[in-house]
Amino acid sequence: MSSLAVRCLALASLVTLAAPTFAATPPSAEVASRQLVEAVTCKRHLTPAQFAALAKVLKPTELQAYGELSDGEYALTTPLLVLGQPVNRLHLYDGANGEDSIDSYTAYFSTAGIEQIAALAKIPRNEAGDYTLEVGRHDLSVRQDEGQASIACSYDLR
């Protein structure tokens, strides 16, 4: 082989070694939707970064982008069904950014009321008048936030 061919092969090998490795393919919208629903209903513990990545698969409008020093809020262009009811917004709270170190994920319902969501989630009203249920080490709660019924899971409280 000529020295030019040898140099070209060597250069091609170096370029191949220096090329970035690509991450695993992102999940489908169906998988992302299922895992987000599981996260807001205390059935799947995700890290805030995982939650943000799954929300981005659904191609929402980021009302507030998730970053190392901020929480993320996502307006969904296509509603996500949680407990059979449409959700138009998701919010993640990264406990590492706050004082309590408790991660929390919230889904905001576009049409359903608080009593309807509590009934669907099988969360009875407690003595304080709140809808909160202990799910292992986590709390699942239904409340009225910013004029909308919401369901939220706060992880690792106990």
Side-chain angles (χ1 to χ4, degrees):
M1 243 197 281
S2 73
S3 68
L4 177 61
V6 171
R7 283 186 283 182
C8 286
L9 285 173
L11 181 60
S13 298
L14 288 174
V15 169
T16 302
L17 291 173
T21 56
F22 294 98
T25 349
S28 68
E30 181 180 318
V31 170
S33 296
R34 186 181 72 247
Q35 290 183 4
L36 288 167
V37 169
E38 291 169 348
V40 299
T41 57
C42 291
K43 294 179 180 166
R44 176 184 293 266
H45 192 169
L46 298 172
T47 66
Q50 290 170 325
F51 188 92
L54 290 170
K56 289 175 186 174
V57 168
L58 300 181
K59 296 185 173 71
T61 302
E62 286 186 280
L63 299 175
Q64 175 184 343
Y66 171 71
E68 288 184 28
L69 300 176
S70 69
D71 300 327
E73 193 164 341
Y74 306 90
L76 303 177
T77 52
T78 302
L80 183 65
L81 290 179
V82 177
L83 303 172
Q85 300 300 310
V87 163
N88 61 359
R89 192 165 46 112
L90 295 172
H91 182 263
L92 77 86
Y93 173 76
D94 186 344
N97 294 337
E99 297 173 11
D100 57 10
S101 72
I102 297 168
D103 296 333
S104 178
Y105 308 115
T106 306
Y108 294 87
F109 294 91
S110 47
T111 57
I114 188 172
E115 290 82 14
Q116 180 183 8
I117 299 305
L120 289 168
K122 297 178 174 73
I123 302 175
R125 186 185 300 248
N126 63 22
E127 290 129 17
D130 299 323
Y131 295 99
T132 301
L133 181 67
E134 288 185 13
V135 180
R137 299 176 50 212
H138 323 301
D139 275 0
L140 182 62
S141 59
V142 174
R143 61 182 165 262
Q144 193 78 13
D145 279 333
E146 301 173 21
Q148 289 183 287
S150 67
I151 190 166
C153 185
S154 298
Y155 283 90
D156 296 328
L157 295 171
R158 295 170 273 295

